[in-house]
Amino acid sequence: MIQNALFLLLFCTTFAARSETIIINGEDDWAPYASASPDYKDVIGLAPDIVKAAFKSQGVRVITRPVPFARCLHEVDEGKALGCFDTVISIETQGKYIFHSTPIFEADMVVYGALNETKRPTNFNDLEGKIVGTTNGYTYPTEFLQNKRITHSPGPTERSQLEKLASGRVHYAVLWGLTAAHLLRNNPAVSKKVKPLGVISRTGLYLSFSKKHKDGSKYAAILEKGLQTIISNGTYARITAQFNAVQSANQRP
């Protein structure tokens, strides 16, 4: 009888842990890293694949909720959402959110210019004296944000940045490389007027947890543990390898 009771307790405890479910906000328009599914009920891409796998390794099921990025962060600011991905740790964000130590992934930030541009910026200082397109509400590295010699020209989306560059309204545009490549594949008219000039930064992306949500610290710690688990057991490498294979195939003529 005692053994049966102990077995039942263990079963119930394990089931409860495995059935734990949380809801996380995700960027709805940042393919291929994170974007809304066709029915707008889920977030698809590299970021949600890694986040879900990391939490799953700790017995937590994740439901991802697609929202525009500015709203994604605003709801975290207000404590209405537990967390939002993907965020750069910078002077603007490091005091506002709870972050895990290990980035979800790293991505290249790429400078785009006009087709006839001959300069090749290699760091943010090379953008000084120029009008540079950015995306409203997005997070960027501190050295870019704090450089007052760069004139920032924010637009509503990364696509709008490329359109502004194509029309000559900005000198450069700073975008995440794979996102820009994705957008240009679907906008041939714009792709004929702009080109990548080079990688200007490789930056870690994180899930920002709310300081006002009662479970923010708890799940930041669980995600960190989960990331370490899937890195050590090979799951992380499998996810990123599959993602990179798809991106390479997409870039072929």
Side-chain angles (χ1 to χ4, degrees):
M1 184 68 71
I2 293 176
Q3 288 181 333
N4 289 341
L6 288 173
F7 175 80
L8 182 61
L9 177 61
L10 178 61
F11 176 82
C12 291
T13 302
T14 303
F15 180 80
R18 289 181 177 176
S19 63
E20 184 178 3
T21 301
I22 60 173
I23 299 173
I24 298 289
N25 281 0
E27 161 76 87
D28 70 345
D29 189 26
W30 198 42
Y33 304 110
S35 59
S37 59
D39 61 3
Y40 210 85
K41 292 182 179 180
D42 197 4
V43 184
I44 56 177
L46 178 63
D49 285 351
I50 293 173
V51 168
K52 289 177 180 179
F55 273 117
K56 183 180 180 181
S57 76
Q58 304 305 303
V60 179
R61 174 175 173 260
V62 174
I63 295 174
T64 52
R65 176 172 170 260
V67 290
F69 190 68
R71 180 179 164 191
C72 188
L73 284 181
H74 177 71
E75 291 186 356
V76 174
D77 292 340
E78 297 296 314
K80 296 177 180 178
L82 173 60
C84 166
F85 57 83
D86 304 278
T87 310
V88 169
I89 297 179
S90 70
I91 192 171
E92 285 190 336
T93 62
Q94 60 188 356
K96 293 176 68 175
Y97 309 109
I98 301 168
F99 288 105
H100 43 100
S101 300
T102 305
I104 301 171
F105 62 94
E106 292 185 341
D108 290 334
M109 192 169 280
V110 177
V111 177
Y112 277 75
L115 209 58
N116 61 354
E117 178 63 64
T118 56
K119 293 182 179 179
R120 299 280 178 174
T122 59
N123 58 65
F124 290 115
N125 291 338
D126 290 340
L127 305 181
E128 292 178 356
K130 302 296 183 180
I131 302 173
V132 180
T134 57
T135 300
N136 191 35
Y138 273 26
T139 54
Y140 294 92
T142 299
E143 60 267 34
F144 181 46
L145 296 172
Q146 288 192 320
N147 193 324
K148 303 302 181 183
R149 296 180 180 178
I150 300 172
T151 301
H152 296 268
S153 178
T157 63
E158 294 207 305
R159 175 174 176 168
S160 71
Q161 278 200 63
L162 292 169
E163 291 171 343
K164 287 165 67 175
L165 180 61
S167 65
R169 287 179 286 164
V170 295
H171 295 113
Y172 299 120
V174 174
L175 300 97
W176 297 97
L178 292 181
T179 303
H182 171 81
L183 290 169
L184 291 174
R185 281 197 302 271
N186 294 295
N187 292 274
V190 174
S191 69
K192 294 176 182 178
K193 297 181 179 180
V194 305
K195 66 180 181 181
L197 303 178
V199 176
I200 203 165
S201 173
R202 185 163 180 81
T203 308
L205 282 301
Y206 298 79
L207 200 160
S208 50
F209 289 90
S210 175
K211 286 190 170 184
K212 292 184 179 180
H213 194 288
K214 63 182 179 64
D215 291 326
S217 295
K218 171 186 174 181
Y219 286 105
I222 291 174
L223 177 58
E224 175 61 28
K225 186 176 180 181
L227 286 168
Q228 292 298 327
T229 298
I230 65 173
I231 288 171
S232 63
N233 69 17
T235 300
Y236 187 94
R238 287 194 293 273
I239 292 172
T240 54
Q242 182 177 14
F243 174 80
N244 290 333
V246 171
Q247 300 315 307
S248 295
N250 288 339
Q251 291 174 22
R252 292 172 192 152

